[in-house]
Amino acid sequence: MSFFFTSESVSEGHPDKVCDAISDGVLDAIFVQDPKARVACETLVTTGLVVVAGEVTTSAYVDIQAVVRNTVKNIGYTKGEYMFSYDSCGVLNAIHSQSPDIAQGVDEGKGLHKEQGAGDQGMMFGYACDQSADYMPLTLEYSHKLVKKLADIRKKQPKLMPYLRPDAKSQVTIEYDEVTRKPLRVDAVVISTQHDENVNQKQIEADVKKHVIPHVIPAKFLDKKTKYYVNPTGKFVIGGPHGDSGLTGRKIIVDTYGGWGAHGGGAFSGKDPSKVDRSAAYAARHIAKNLVAAKLAKECLVQVSYAIGVAKPMSIFVNTFGTGVKYSDAELSKMIEEIVPMTPKAIIDRLKLRNPIYLATSSYGHFGRKYQKNAKIKVIVGEESGNAKFIEKTVDLFTWEQLDLVSLFKEYKKK
């Protein structure tokens, strides 16, 4: 017997992802100057308009207009015919300072608890499995790579598909063995890509099947029964923020595990790491991935929960879906409590989260990405003479994807 599971992804030009990129671009622009800043930045986009709002406490100065426009430009909204372009869209800045009632619970030495507390209550989840070398579900990994391939063609090889526009979506359905939960074959691929007027659907379908799908999905998973749906409405000219309004944090399943595992409900983009919605979710993924890599389970879900202003987690829960070896799920939970500090401060320090590392996470998933040590990045902070003004920095990217806990987990001896 078998079962079918589906995950989706969206490109950096999808309106919700435009918002995520702007929110994380603002966060990075602040963090590169003021690593201790508190940031909660939300963005809305629609036809010809960007609204940036939220709470920020910082000593940095950031030209919000410049960050917005250059972020939109880098995504690819550069033509007036898109009805949303970096050089003509209106930008409304409605940012204000953080509530002092929240700040006193997060600032170390203030509030009822003297250690730095969580920025909010809630539960966060991390997930990993052995379906891929990146310890991610293949349905989501292929979905991400399909829209990323479209973006790469649009930006780096435009002659292959010169009609591509920034907005795109993908969806992959895989048939799995019911007992082993191993992927057997790809049952269906859906790709919808925004395009210029002067191209027909048959040409797009032919190009996608030639230049995109075979470069992402291994031939062994494709067979005569695999179904392909390319721009199934027949036309996708109107897209991006002109086609649909976008909001920060509206693609939380795309950002995480594509429906596998679980989600606590909190979005990531635009939030500094004092917000455990983000930092604890990264820490939970770090733990889950290392548990699977240590071969203590084939599949693992980690939940951690917090109370606002309190440093220590309320609970840590592990579910290996019956695939655990050597330790029970309860014993794995206890192991994490004993050897992996999970206070907000410990997570931030361990994963080096007070750095301008977040724009890179805003599209194509926060997890399953390659850990990059000493990566050189340029952060947009303003504009001079019509050109973007950058601050250059060397940072470690996707630190939660390291396998640095594997030896600790393997050597652990329960008390």
Side-chain angles (χ1 to χ4, degrees):
M1 295 292 291
S2 61
F3 68 91
F4 297 82
F5 197 90
T6 302
S7 296
E8 70 158 349
S9 184
V10 297
S11 74
E12 63 203 64
H14 185 282
D16 293 332
K17 284 285 131 197
V18 172
C19 293
D20 287 343
I22 291 171
S23 292
D24 278 332
V26 170
L27 173 59
D28 281 357
I30 293 170
F31 256 24
V32 77
Q33 303 171 73
D34 179 13
K36 295 183 179 179
R38 296 280 162 69
V39 182
C41 179
E42 310 291 345
T43 304
L44 175 148
V45 296
T46 187
T47 303
L49 179 65
V50 178
V51 179
V52 183
E55 300 78 46
V56 173
T57 302
T58 183
S59 60
Y61 171 74
V62 173
D63 184 341
I64 299 295
Q65 286 253 354
V67 173
V68 169
R69 294 190 189 283
N70 281 283
T71 302
V72 171
K73 181 181 181 181
N74 290 339
I75 290 169
Y77 285 105
T78 57
K79 299 179 182 179
E81 63 197 79
Y82 297 163
M83 302 299 287
F84 182 84
S85 179
Y86 80 99
D87 55 353
S88 61
C89 64
V91 179
L92 175 61
N93 179 2
I95 290 173
H96 59 90
S97 62
Q98 184 184 41
S99 159
D101 294 348
I102 295 174
Q104 76 169 12
V106 179
D107 291 336
E108 194 168 356
K110 296 182 180 180
L112 294 178
H113 303 270
K114 299 308 177 187
E115 190 176 355
Q116 178 183 338
D120 202 350
Q121 70 176 47
M123 66 282 188
M124 299 83 209
F125 290 91
Y127 176 82
C129 61
D130 64 358
Q131 288 184 35
S132 76
D134 297 318
Y135 299 93
M136 290 291 287
L138 279 181
T139 51
L140 183 63
E141 183 162 296
Y142 291 157
S143 294
H144 282 324
K145 288 182 176 179
L146 288 169
V147 284
K148 181 64 165 59
K149 183 64 177 177
L150 282 170
D152 288 344
I153 290 172
R154 177 171 56 86
K155 292 181 173 183
K156 301 173 184 177
Q157 298 175 289
K159 290 183 180 180
L160 288 181
M161 301 172 73
Y163 49 81
L164 290 177
R165 292 184 176 184
D167 197 358
K169 300 182 77 171
S170 63
Q171 187 171 284
V172 175
T173 301
I174 290 181
E175 182 178 3
Y176 289 85
D177 183 274
E178 189 175 41
V179 177
T180 64
R181 292 169 69 88
K182 292 292 184 184
L184 302 175
R185 53 180 291 276
V186 171
D187 185 67
V189 179
V190 182
I191 295 180
S192 295
T193 181
Q194 188 187 12
H195 59 85
D196 291 342
E197 284 275 11
N198 61 349
V199 63
N200 60 52
Q201 194 269 343
K202 287 185 179 180
Q203 180 65 56
I204 298 171
E205 182 172 2
D207 287 345
V208 165
K209 288 181 177 180
K210 179 179 180 181
H211 300 305
V212 180
I213 294 173
H215 296 273
V216 170
I217 301 176
K220 67 179 182 179
F221 284 126
L222 301 172
D223 57 32
K224 293 181 180 179
K225 293 184 179 179
T226 301
K227 299 177 282 290
Y228 301 94
Y229 302 93
V230 179
N231 283 20
T233 67
K235 187 177 181 181
F236 187 7
V237 173
I238 299 172
H242 180 50
D244 288 291
S245 61
L247 291 169
T248 300
R250 203 160 57 177
K251 286 291 175 285
I252 58 175
I253 300 303
V254 170
D255 284 342
T256 52
Y257 307 104
W260 293 81
H263 199 295
F268 301 153
S269 289
K271 296 178 181 177
D272 77 81
S274 72
K275 282 76 173 171
V276 283
D277 278 345
R278 184 168 217 162
S279 54
Y282 288 176
R285 159 64 179 177
H286 186 213
I287 291 168
K289 180 177 180 178
N290 277 263
L291 286 172
V292 175
K295 300 192 182 304
L296 295 178
K298 292 181 176 295
E299 187 176 5
C300 183
L301 182 73
V302 175
Q303 185 206 57
V304 59
S305 65
Y306 292 87
I308 188 168
V310 181
K312 188 177 179 181
M314 300 293 100
S315 66
I316 296 174
F317 166 81
V318 174
N319 183 2
T320 61
F321 304 93
T323 68
V325 295
K326 193 174 180 179
Y327 303 111
S328 69
D329 291 352
E331 288 170 337
L332 289 174
S333 300
K334 185 67 175 175
M335 177 178 72
I336 294 166
E337 288 184 20
E338 291 178 5
I339 65 178
V340 186
M342 289 294 285
T343 64
K345 185 178 186 305
I347 293 171
I348 290 168
D349 291 345
R350 180 167 66 252
L351 300 181
K352 302 178 182 178
L353 297 182
R354 289 205 170 276
N355 281 303
I357 58 175
Y358 296 104
L359 181 57
T361 70
S362 64
S363 297
Y364 314 116
H366 292 245
F367 309 122
R369 308 291 290 274
K370 183 178 169 139
Y371 165 59
Q372 299 176 44
K373 188 172 179 62
N374 295 326
K376 297 186 185 307
I377 61 170
K378 291 183 176 181
V379 180
I380 302 166
V381 295
E383 197 167 84
E384 287 181 350
S385 304
N387 297 314
K389 178 182 177 183
F390 298 96
I391 293 178
E392 295 186 3
K393 192 164 177 74
T394 300
V395 297
D396 293 348
L397 292 174
F398 304 105
T399 53
W400 48 92
E401 294 297 321
Q402 296 178 84
L403 295 176
D404 54 335
L405 299 178
V406 169
S407 59
L408 284 175
F409 290 160
K410 284 184 174 180
E411 294 165 6
Y412 172 77
K413 298 186 188 305
K414 61 183 178 181
K415 297 177 181 178

